[in-house]
Amino acid sequence: MKRNVLIIGAGGVAHVAAHKCAQNNKLLGDIHIASRTLAKCQAIIDSIHEKGSLQSPGRLQAHQLDAMDIEATKFLIRATHSQIVINVGSPFLNMSVLAACIETGAAYLDTAIHEDPAKVCEAPPWYGNYEWKRRQACKDARVTAVLGAGFDPGVVNAYARFALDTYFDDVESIDIIDINAGNHGRYFATNFDPEINFREFTSTVWSWEQNQWRANSMFERRQDWNMPVTGMSTTYLTGHDELHSMSQNLGVPNIRFWMSFSEHYINVFTVLNSLGLLSEKPVRTAKGVEIVPLEVVKAVLPDPASLAPAYTGKTCIGDLIRGTRGGQAQQVLIYNSCDHEECFEEVGSQAISYTAGVPAVAAAMLIAKGSWDIGEMANVEELDPVPFIESMNRMGLVTRIQDAHGDRILRPRQESIYEPKPRMLVNY
Ligand code: NDP
């Protein structure tokens, strides 16, 4: 059993994670929120009290922290007796926070891959450039580190693993489809940190095809999907974190990520990008001031968390998996749909933050209970997906499946219409 959680970051995802930790504080214990700006941590605590999210009376505390400072992070982990760290700060912090966890013995989890501010779209597999280099250190210290435990990456990795274990003999392709059919009513905004959002799209789009990396450029490959809830949706092939672990762990020849974009988003993005305003490389102004254009764009765009009150519509994110079973072609879509307004009603957030924050806390609860407390580093698809999907079904992120038997809630232990099949992968 592990108790007491330190949440790092106080943005949109941290807001949801803190509410969900509060809703489960009998299991998780004390909740500490630490970020660069103390007032943002305190605002989250105020909102938890306002919504009455605490399951039982307990400690909720805000801390100012520069999480790039490993010694300060270690000090805070020890001072708060936190045994689980949920890192939902900027992806630039991952390696520092992970180091602090390895040195203090706290379990680590995050929702996005580490990034170096000076580089974009590095050589694949991305995890090999940073996190996986600390695999042995985690093992030696018996530290649990669960990487990419948001929705995508995170839940979509678990969906793939569950499908492979349950419905297929061979899988030919996994297409991860991420549709946001919501409307925030602003001229232009990104749904999470604009800097991170744009960095995903300004360089090479890596996908896994025919068992090798394939490079495309952004908006080069378009695909329309008829999705449940959101209907016919236009997507573009996009590079994304989960491809970089699933390609190495699942033995599936084709894994692609498709994200929906409106024409308006593409137009604005194209103008900004063509002008050089999305560059991560510093430029010098006529006054001799050095600035990073991307940081300026971030500073002038709406804070993603501020979109929540006016956001309407739904998301639909899932895995379309194709392969064979018993010699027959088989296709399943495992997905979740989330309503922006319902998320706001429950915790005061929009659905993109909600779909990332809930899984992080579901994962923390599995670490607290022990079933995911494996004492080493893992990506989500290496862990048992069953308790993860079950927990999220109870926490507001309900999984559905669409296959030859129709469309239904996916209750992992009740998929008895399928003959039981030996686990394809044995590492849990
Ligand atoms: P935000 O930009 O809203 O929040 C990031 C937070 O990190 C801010 O509170 C920021 O502080 C804080 N921070 C930045 N630098 C430091 C530092 N040196 N020390 C301490 N705190 C710092 O991002 P989101 O909440 O939207 O996203 C959080 C994470 O979740 C990101 O890694 C993002 O990529 C990931 N994500 C994952 C998804 C998934 O499905 N897997 C989906 C959406 C997001 P300040 O407020 O002072 O700037």
Side-chain angles (χ1 to χ4, degrees), residues 357-415:
V358 174
V361 177
M365 289 166 66
L366 294 177
I367 292 173
K369 287 182 194 158
S371 54
W372 275 23
D373 193 13
I374 52 170
E376 57 184 314
M377 178 181 281
N379 291 86
V380 170
E381 70 275 13
E382 296 176 272
L383 299 164
D384 187 350
V386 171
F388 190 46
I389 295 170
E390 283 178 339
S391 302
M392 289 183 296
N393 280 351
R394 291 190 293 268
M395 291 171 72
L397 272 190
V398 176
T399 295
R400 299 189 67 88
I401 180 164
Q402 203 178 65
D403 62 5
H405 302 275
D407 188 316
R408 61 193 179 280
I409 293 178
L410 176 61
R411 296 190 173 85
R413 286 178 218 270
Q414 293 171 25
E415 282 294 287

Side-chain angles (χ1 to χ4, degrees), residues 280-295:
E280 76 288 358
K281 306 249 180 321
V283 293
R284 193 170 289 278
T285 69
K287 288 183 178 165
V289 181
E290 197 170 85
I291 53 160
V292 175
L294 185 52
E295 290 178 3

Side-chain angles (χ1 to χ4, degrees), residues 261-277:
F261 293 91
S262 66
E263 276 189 33
H264 179 65
Y265 183 104
I266 297 172
N267 286 340
V268 173
F269 173 90
T270 306
V271 171
L272 292 174
N273 201 28
S274 309
L275 293 175
L277 287 168

